[in-house]
Amino acid sequence: MSTGLPSSLADRYVLTVSAGSAESLTAHARGLAAFLSGGPRSGRRAFPRSSATLPGVAATLLNFRQCAPYRLALSAATVAEAADKLIAFTEHAVNPKSLAPQGLYANVIHTSTFDGDAVEGQDRNYLLGLAASARHDQLARLWSVGFPVDWRHVYPELVAERPVYLPPAPLDRRRYWPETPEAATTTEAAALPDGDAAEQVQPVGSAQPGNEPSQLVADLTGLPTALRVRRLCGYLQAHIAGLLDYPEGEHPHTDIGFFDLGMSSLHLGQVRQSIIADTAFEPSATSAFDHPTIADFAAYLERELTLKSEPGTESATPVAPTAAPAVTKSGQPLLLHTLGQDDIDRLSAHDLERAVIEVLS
């Protein structure tokens, strides 16, 4: 439907950014600007230039991100304009109110004075009228002061847009004194009867001798090297996405460093404990620094798991030898068409022969 407006106005969208603190909001805006423009980040390598479209970026920020107290809203007609406005905000974050004439609206909303269930009838029609008349700055200003805006009704054309990867908001780091694992184990064991104390010392879900093989180990059984690496990449992506609170369906890039993704040493320790529990293999304490991306760490993990499963060595995982048939746990054969060109190029002659035989059998 034609709006009768110039395309430079009709094709604009409001973009919303929020975080848990002023520092996190500034850092989040800086990271988004660097990602959208492919520009450098302080002390880190530049993001690869993003191919995301403005509707994809808008749909992700408006429909797939939760609102936090520290808010920033703006309108843009292009990805480049959005990046420029985000950069302008980071340069004047000390006095964000001065940016309102430039279409940047920043506020802190801990408790909204508006009734979230009251956006009915006249209120909804008012918001739709603002969008229809291309008054996007007014929409941005309303959201920044806590007015509940249902963006799916304001921009219905974005509902069909798939979310795109955007850097998540940095975590709000707080210092605290955690209880040491030794103290926690001692306290819990003291509260149990003697017969239960020994059982309590074992970590829940850890891969002990005699335990059933984990799903990860079962999935790795008999796979060619390239598919083992791919499965381990997916395993790491899923764990890290959960730790960093990625929106459902989004996963971190495999070629970006762990710390560039926003991970801390605590996160890396949690991933390491999951690997130990799921594979009974204990990565070295410096392995995340020696292999600093998901792709590098998955390749390292695959090599170590294969080495541990070789005859004559003490196996750290119940991974079957490579002579086992390469099928998934459900019994489905592994098909060559599931591999990309790069994966096929990395297959050894032996692995390629096995994959072909399994397809033909």
Side-chain angles (χ1 to χ4, degrees), residues 34 38-48 254-258 260 292-293:
R41 297 169 293 169
S42 58
R44 301 176 182 178
R45 63 191 178 96
F47 275 117
T254 60
D255 58 348
I256 296 178
F258 291 125
D260 289 348
T293 68

Side-chain angles (χ1 to χ4, degrees), residues 28 31-32 34-37 41 44-45 47-53 55-61 64-65 79 161-170 237 240-241 244-263 294:
H28 191 19
L32 282 172
F35 177 79
L36 295 177
S37 64
R41 297 169 293 169
R44 301 176 182 178
R45 63 191 178 96
F47 275 117
R49 182 166 293 277
S50 172
S51 60
T53 62
V57 173
T60 302
L61 293 175
F64 295 93
R65 295 288 173 93
V79 172
E161 286 286 335
R162 295 174 60 88
V164 299
Y165 170 79
L166 295 174
Q237 284 179 298
I240 293 172
L244 298 182
D245 292 328
Y246 273 58
E248 184 177 357
E250 289 191 30
H251 292 91
H253 282 246
T254 60
D255 58 348
I256 296 178
F258 291 125
F259 292 106
D260 289 348
L261 291 173
M263 299 186 69
I294 292 176

Side-chain angles (χ1 to χ4, degrees), residues 113-129:
T113 58
F114 300 97
D115 185 355
D117 296 328
V119 185
E120 299 290 343
Q122 293 181 349
D123 290 335
R124 178 171 296 174
N125 292 334
Y126 172 64
L127 295 175
L128 293 176

Side-chain angles (χ1 to χ4, degrees), residues 128-284:
L128 293 176
L130 292 178
S133 59
R135 297 176 64 189
H136 305 284
D137 282 355
Q138 180 66 9
L139 285 168
R141 184 183 292 108
L142 284 171
W143 179 86
S144 72
V145 297
F147 192 86
V149 181
D150 187 343
W151 296 110
R152 296 177 184 271
H153 285 90
V154 173
Y155 298 127
E157 67 272 20
L158 296 182
V159 173
E161 286 286 335
R162 295 174 60 88
V164 299
Y165 170 79
L166 295 174
L171 298 176
D172 295 320
R173 304 185 185 278
R174 296 182 176 89
R175 295 184 179 275
Y176 66 99
W177 294 101
E179 185 178 12
T180 61
E182 293 80 2
T185 302
T186 302
T187 303
E188 293 174 3
L192 294 173
D194 293 341
D196 296 331
E199 180 180 354
Q200 182 68 17
V201 172
Q202 298 296 336
V204 176
S206 61
Q208 300 295 331
N211 282 5
E212 290 295 325
S214 70
Q215 180 62 48
L216 175 62
V217 171
D219 289 347
L220 293 175
T221 300
L223 289 179
T225 300
L227 288 183
R228 284 164 62 88
V229 172
R230 174 179 287 189
R231 176 64 180 89
L232 289 167
C233 276
Y235 167 82
L236 294 171
Q237 284 179 298
H239 270 280
I240 293 172
L243 290 174
L244 298 182
D245 292 328
Y246 273 58
E248 184 177 357
E250 289 191 30
H251 292 91
H253 282 246
T254 60
D255 58 348
I256 296 178
F258 291 125
F259 292 106
D260 289 348
L261 291 173
M263 299 186 69
S264 65
S265 298
L266 180 61
H267 293 133
L268 294 176
Q270 291 174 315
V271 173
R272 184 171 180 268
Q273 290 303 316
S274 296
I275 293 172
I276 295 173
D278 290 337
T279 68
F281 167 68
E282 184 173 350
S284 67

Side-chain angles (χ1 to χ4, degrees), residues 217 220-224 228 305-306 308-311 315 317-327 350-351 354 358:
V217 171
L220 293 175
T221 300
L223 289 179
R228 284 164 62 88
L305 293 177
T306 300
K308 292 293 183 180
S309 65
E310 288 180 352
S315 177
T317 68
V319 178
T322 56
V327 294
H350 176 70
D351 288 339
R354 290 183 57 213
E358 288 159 4

